[in-house]
Amino acid sequence: MKTPLLAVGLAFASALANARTPAASAPDEHAWQAWSAAVEQTLRTSEQPRDWALAAVSMAKPPAADAAADAADALLQRALAAAPDDMLAHWLAVQRYLGQKQDELDARSASVLTRREPDNAASWLPAVALAARGGDAAALDAALARMAAATRYDDHFAAALRAWMEAFERQPPQHTGRLDAEGAAFMAALARASALAVPAYGPLFAACKGADGTPLPAQRRGQCNAIGRLLLHAGTTRIDRDIGARLLRYGGDAAPTEADRAMIRRLAWQQQQAAPLRIDEDPVALRAYATDWRSCTDEVEVIERALRRAGLPVEPPADWTPPRRDGA
């Protein structure tokens, strides 16, 4: 399967949710799945609480047998108890529990995130989701206000990716198809991080779009614009940046500033430039891309490094006009 550079990121979430490599041929798939299961077992029996958290969120994905889900929950709670200050573990926990509608457990980890990282807008996303699910308008307003006042946005994707990279590299695969061991470990880690660490933005969209075309109150609109602007300029993944641009579009033509439009244009240019690149077909390029993720927490920077290595400009020409997006 040919995969553009920008797809070697969060867009792999659905294609690689089960840690299947797109470069592996059908005969290799059994070996790939066996390797993934072996790594998961090693994580479960590790002495490190973070390994338990990684294993727990990987183990039982709905629909799963009750016993398997219970075992995963027990292991995750063990990890949180042993490492109460591990923000990645709590972040992975809130994503799991939100999806399973275990609101009491989710609220525990959500409160740790907001208490330890109140300046991180991403920490308030679970609070937004829980307030919306519970129909608590006051809590929703409070969470959105804290998001709007935050000074940074880190959804812990880079930390999750690096943690899974280390886990898969600890136990190299025997069969990797057309990938070398390092490339296989990166692709497997990317699959897990994309499938299990990326937050759900639906509740935030619902809060910022309004119902039945009814205009949002000025205070809510201002909060949503502030959140959108933060994600657009400071989000650590391309999905974050795109979410920010979309939130600003909800505010109408007047919402994006000149700086916002320049950033949207720059990101669109980079996406167009990167489209012809096929990283999964070039082991050297894939290793360089994986290496960049070890030192960078911003996917846009990772992409820009790849573009520069390919001799492609990261800034659009003055006369370049981005293609119009549907609904824009």
Side-chain angles (χ1 to χ4, degrees):
M1 180 176 74
K2 291 186 177 181
T3 308
L5 169 63
L6 291 181
V8 184
L10 304 190
F12 267 166
S14 58
L16 299 182
N18 295 313
R20 292 164 56 187
T21 170
S25 59
D28 296 320
E29 185 164 320
H30 176 74
W32 186 267
Q33 295 291 349
W35 172 48
S36 181
V39 170
E40 191 175 283
Q41 174 62 22
T42 298
L43 292 172
R44 285 198 297 270
T45 57
S46 165
E47 296 182 356
Q48 300 301 317
R50 176 171 284 189
D51 286 348
W52 307 338
L54 296 178
V57 298
S58 301
M59 281 168 58
K61 296 179 275 294
D66 289 343
D70 289 346
D73 286 339
L75 185 59
L76 183 52
Q77 286 302 305
R78 180 185 172 205
L80 297 177
D85 297 328
D86 188 336
M87 294 300 99
L88 175 58
H90 284 288
W91 179 259
L92 294 173
V94 296
Q95 308 317 318
R96 174 180 173 82
Y97 292 138
L98 274 174
Q100 295 184 338
K101 299 184 178 180
Q102 297 189 60
D103 290 358
E104 181 178 350
L105 291 175
D106 193 69
R108 294 180 193 173
S109 285
S111 67
V112 173
L113 293 174
T114 55
R115 185 173 67 252
R116 293 295 305 275
E117 297 185 337
D119 62 329
N120 180 6
S123 294
W124 294 94
L125 266 179
V128 168
L130 288 168
R133 182 178 288 169
D136 190 334
L140 179 59
D141 285 340
L144 289 170
R146 295 303 299 263
M147 283 193 77
T151 57
R152 64 189 180 98
Y153 189 92
D154 179 8
D155 62 6
H156 301 281
F157 177 81
L161 177 57
R162 286 196 288 265
W164 266 300
M165 285 171 69
E166 194 276 332
F168 281 99
E169 288 169 351
R170 236 184 285 166
Q171 196 165 336
Q174 298 300 313
H175 304 283
T176 61
R178 289 189 289 118
L179 298 174
D180 59 21
E182 184 178 347
F186 174 70
M187 295 295 281
L190 182 63
R192 295 299 174 92
S194 299
L196 300 170
V198 178
Y201 288 100
L204 179 61
F205 280 141
C208 289
K209 190 173 184 180
D212 303 322
T214 303
L216 291 175
Q219 182 178 30
R220 172 71 63 84
R221 173 49 55 205
Q223 291 170 346
C224 291
N225 286 344
I227 294 167
R229 189 159 291 116
L230 179 65
L231 266 69
L232 174 63
H233 292 275
T236 52
T237 68
R238 272 305 306 256
I239 282 184
D240 299 337
R241 305 294 188 106
D242 291 343
I243 295 296
R246 184 172 168 185
L247 288 173
L248 286 173
R249 286 198 295 273
Y250 284 166
D253 291 340
T257 65
E258 183 176 346
D260 299 333
R261 295 182 189 281
M263 177 59 74
I264 292 169
R265 180 171 176 269
R266 184 168 180 258
L267 294 173
W269 166 259
Q270 292 177 2
Q271 183 169 2
Q272 184 182 86
Q273 291 295 102
L277 300 182
R278 307 292 177 180
I279 277 189
D280 67 323
E281 297 179 350
D282 183 346
V284 174
L286 185 59
R287 281 196 298 273
Y289 192 77
T291 297
D292 286 341
W293 271 113
R294 297 181 194 278
S295 60
C296 296
T297 58
D298 182 357
E299 186 182 19
V300 173
E301 182 180 349
V302 172
I303 291 168
E304 288 179 354
R305 290 186 182 190
L307 290 174
R308 291 189 181 99
R309 280 194 295 271
L312 298 171
V314 299
E315 298 287 350
D319 60 351
W320 182 76
T321 301
R324 183 175 176 83
R325 296 178 56 172
D326 292 341

